[in-house]
């Protein structure tokens, strides 16, 4: 007589990690979970400012709007004095009112020195003395600056929340960078990962807790892993950077110029590492140098799906010149990529969303 041990399949939570999530946030999370594994949401990235330029271009090419539009807080440090007034949430509310799902991210720029001009900022740790670890030192200039910027973002998030908008939130992405390179001394390419995994996890949890204290409860949290950077012989794994199951709803991966086989390797590895979370292609596109030279073409969504990549959504990065109309070619993501994707029965466009 043979006996077998049955292992229960992983269970993705039916509610977001924020126990106080708004009704709209819970509804959005429920919708995402309902399509995960059988459908794939389409997404576009705004080209720096809060707009739908990229999504509009994709509509022109395919006759369909992507479901998700992602907006970046990259210039929040200068708002509203600069050309983006983040307090004007109209671009976001317009997208939501047209059946779209809102995504938000933050290329969090910091001062290069304690005495730098307010616009002399960067997210590159090699260009700044700002250090993540010093945020946790009481009275440090890093701590003061960090929370000043956090308050600016919280004000906008609360404004969106009061307008009944929930968002997919993707902060502090690609934290490990090349930290786990095996054959050379690699580093993180963003300041938030530069001081190592322990401080990064502390940083993520500090943001989460601070948002909670401010009453921000309209976010679905996405953490972007670096995984093996596509080659386990060259790179280690970045699980030490994972903020924890109680702080993350979705695991994302950013892939550029990868074949369908490479994408599936990443998808399967991440799914195994984080079996209780939805997995998404948080960024994708061609590998491009000098804005116009494609060194590797991103595989089509149909090819990735055929291999078994059940991404929750895919989001090509923007080509700024193409979005601005100064180039007729989208070097980052070809028209053929979009046509292929939007012609698949399992890819959802904006007109099909209901939650």
């Amino acid at each position: 007589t043979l006996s077998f041990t049955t292992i229960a399949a992983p269970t993705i939570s039916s509610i977001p990690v924020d126990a106080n999530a708004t009704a709209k946030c819970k509804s959005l999370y429920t919708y995402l979970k309902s399509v995960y594994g059988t459908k794939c949401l389409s997404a576009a990235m705004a080209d720096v400012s809060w707009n739908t330029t990229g999504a509009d271009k994709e509509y022109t090419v395919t006759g369909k709007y992507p479901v998700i539009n992602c907006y970046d807080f990259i210039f929040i440090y200068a708002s509203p004095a600069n050309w983006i007034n983040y307090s004007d949430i109209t671009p976001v509310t317009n997208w939501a009112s047209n059946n779209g799902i809102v995504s938000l991210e933050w290329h969090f720029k910091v001062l290069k020195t304690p005495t730098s001009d307010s616009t002399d900022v960067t997210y590159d740790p090699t260009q700044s003395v700002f250090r993540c670890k010093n945020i946790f030192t009481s009275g440090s200039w890093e701590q003061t600056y960090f929370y000043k910027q956090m308050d600016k973002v919280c004000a906008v998030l609360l404004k969106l929340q009061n307008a009944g908008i929930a968002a997919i939130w993707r902060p502090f992405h690609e934290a490990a960078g090349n930290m786990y390179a095996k054959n050379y001394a690699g580093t993180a390419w963003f300041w938030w990962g530069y001081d190592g995994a322990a401080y990064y996890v502390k940083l993520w949890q500090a943001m989460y807790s601070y948002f909670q204290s401010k009453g921000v409860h309209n976010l679905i949290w996405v953490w972007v892993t670096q995984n093996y950077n596509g080659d386990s012989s060259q790179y280690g794994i970045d699980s030490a950077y994972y903020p924890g199951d109680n702080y993350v709803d979705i695991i994302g991966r950013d892939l550029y110029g990868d074949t369908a086989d490479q994408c599936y390797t990443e998808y399967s590895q991440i799914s195994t590492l984080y079996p209780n979370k939805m997995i998404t292609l948080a960024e994708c596109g061609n590998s491009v140098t000098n804005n116009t030279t494609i060194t590797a073409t991103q595989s089509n969504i149909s090819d990735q799906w055929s291999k078994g990549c059940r991404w929750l959504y895919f989001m090509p990065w923007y080509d700024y010149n193409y979005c601005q109309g100064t180039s007729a070619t989208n070097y980052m993501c070809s028209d053929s990529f979009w046509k292929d994707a939007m012609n698949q029965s399992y890819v959802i466009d904006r007109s099909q969303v209901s939650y």
Side-chain angles (χ1 to χ4, degrees):
T1 302
L2 298 176
S3 62
F4 298 92
T5 300
T6 302
I7 300 174
T11 303
I12 294 172
S13 175
S14 59
I15 56 174
V17 292
D18 184 352
N20 297 310
T22 63
K24 194 67 175 179
C25 186
K26 290 178 181 177
S27 180
L28 174 56
Y29 181 89
T30 298
Y31 173 71
L32 296 177
K33 186 188 174 190
S34 73
V35 302
Y36 182 60
T38 59
K39 300 286 186 178
C40 186
L41 300 168
S42 50
M45 181 71 207
D47 64 333
V48 183
S49 69
W50 282 31
N51 59 53
T52 60
T53 307
D56 293 337
K57 290 276 190 179
E58 283 130 30
Y59 176 79
T60 300
V61 170
T62 67
K64 299 176 181 178
Y65 273 106
V67 176
I68 300 168
N69 200 62
C70 184
Y71 307 85
D72 197 337
F73 281 105
I74 187 169
F75 289 111
I76 191 73
Y77 65 87
S79 183
N82 70 338
W83 53 290
I84 306 173
N85 181 8
Y86 290 93
S87 64
D88 178 6
I89 62 171
T90 305
V92 184
T93 56
N94 283 347
W95 184 260
S97 65
N98 280 291
N99 215 40
I101 292 174
V102 173
S103 180
L104 303 168
E105 65 175 40
W106 189 5
H107 279 85
F108 192 153
K109 292 189 174 186
V110 294
L111 295 175
K112 292 181 179 179
T113 72
T115 58
S116 291
D117 179 86
S118 62
T119 60
D120 189 21
V121 295
T122 183
Y123 42 64
D124 183 345
T126 67
Q127 296 182 14
S128 175
V129 298
F130 185 102
R131 289 295 173 259
C132 174
K133 61 185 179 183
N134 293 337
I135 290 171
F136 308 103
T137 299
S138 181
S140 69
W141 73 274
E142 288 98 335
Q143 184 182 76
T144 300
Y145 186 83
F146 176 73
Y147 284 103
K148 179 180 179 181
Q149 302 309 308
M150 290 268 280
D151 283 341
K152 288 185 176 184
V153 169
C154 280
V156 180
L157 294 175
L158 287 170
K159 199 166 187 177
L160 292 171
Q161 182 170 293
N162 291 335
I165 293 175
I168 297 169
W169 173 238
R170 192 179 76 113
F172 302 139
H173 62 297
E174 301 174 10
N178 289 323
M179 193 71 81
Y180 292 97
K182 293 181 177 180
N183 300 321
Y184 63 93
T187 63
W189 49 68
F190 292 123
W191 67 261
W192 48 83
Y194 194 72
D195 287 333
Y199 282 113
Y200 174 78
V201 170
K202 193 172 182 179
L203 180 75
W204 182 286
Q205 295 179 0
M207 171 182 276
Y208 182 90
S209 298
Y210 194 69
F211 281 10
Q212 293 280 302
S213 72
K214 292 292 184 177
V216 175
H217 299 295
N218 59 334
L219 304 178
I220 293 171
W221 292 72
V222 181
W223 176 69
V224 176
T225 176
Q226 285 301 105
N227 202 34
Y228 293 109
N229 274 342
D231 188 346
S232 60
S233 69
Q234 298 294 318
Y235 296 90
I237 197 168
D238 71 339
S239 294
Y241 276 81
Y242 182 51
D245 284 348
N246 293 332
Y247 299 90
V248 175
D249 293 297
I250 298 167
I251 309 293
R253 186 68 171 96
D254 297 351
L255 297 172
Y256 287 87
D258 291 281
T259 66
D261 283 329
Q262 289 172 323
C263 289
Y264 179 68
T265 296
E266 293 283 338
Y267 175 82
S268 60
Q269 289 170 344
I270 298 167
S271 298
T272 300
L273 288 167
Y274 307 100
N276 297 306
K277 300 296 180 180
M278 292 179 278
I279 313 298
T280 199
L281 187 56
E283 286 182 26
C284 64
N286 300 325
S287 291
V288 181
T289 58
N290 300 322
N291 298 319
T292 58
T293 302
I294 298 173
T295 55
T297 302
Q298 181 67 33
S299 54
N300 284 335
I301 290 301
S302 62
D303 293 329
Q304 294 182 43
W305 195 266
S306 295
K307 291 291 183 179
C309 300
R310 296 298 183 262
W311 308 115
L312 173 61
Y313 61 84
F314 65 91
M315 189 189 76
W317 200 249
Y318 65 87
D319 181 324
Y320 183 78
N321 292 328
Y322 174 74
C323 288
Q324 292 297 307
T326 58
S327 170
T329 302
N330 184 345
Y331 289 96
M332 186 58 66
C333 181
S334 67
D335 291 351
S336 61
F337 177 96
W338 273 109
K339 289 176 181 177
D340 169 82
M342 301 306 265
N343 280 331
Q344 306 308 317
S345 60
Y346 47 82
V347 172
I348 300 175
D349 65 72
R350 196 175 69 175
S351 69
Q352 299 168 306
V353 177
S354 177
Y355 74 94

